[in-house]
Amino acid sequence: RRRADPGEGRVSMRVAEVMTGPLVTIQQDTTVAAAWAISESEGSGGIRHLPVLDGHRRLLGMLTDHDLRRLL
């Protein structure tokens, strides 16, 4: 008899069921100091990844907590 894989049901889940939100983003012209303040102000553990958007709200990249610590 085959044992059930504990992760078996998870592969069919939609990402919307497990993602965190709401999404907090920053603009490409946000200062490092402002990005740091945003990352530290949200929730108990802070935000570890900030999506960076251009003026048309297109994703340019991600600013991480590691990026910020390296600069400050």
Side-chain angles (χ1 to χ4, degrees):
R1 182 173 126 147
R2 182 175 165 257
R3 291 180 71 187
D5 177 2
E8 195 171 292
R10 296 182 193 142
V11 296
S12 62
M13 291 177 75
R14 306 275 185 224
V15 294
E17 297 176 62
V18 295
M19 69 181 194
T20 56
L23 183 62
V24 176
T25 63
I26 57 175
Q27 296 295 312
Q28 63 186 351
D29 59 353
T30 301
T31 65
V32 170
W36 177 263
I38 291 166
S39 71
E40 291 296 306
S41 69
E42 298 294 327
S44 60
I47 296 176
R48 294 181 52 191
H49 301 87
L50 283 168
V52 180
L53 307 179
D54 69 8
H56 299 285
R57 301 199 49 81
R58 290 182 296 220
L59 181 64
L60 295 175
M62 299 291 282
L63 182 69
T64 68
D65 57 335
H66 176 74
D67 297 330
L68 289 170
R69 277 201 242 58
R70 194 180 45 168
L71 294 170
L72 297 174

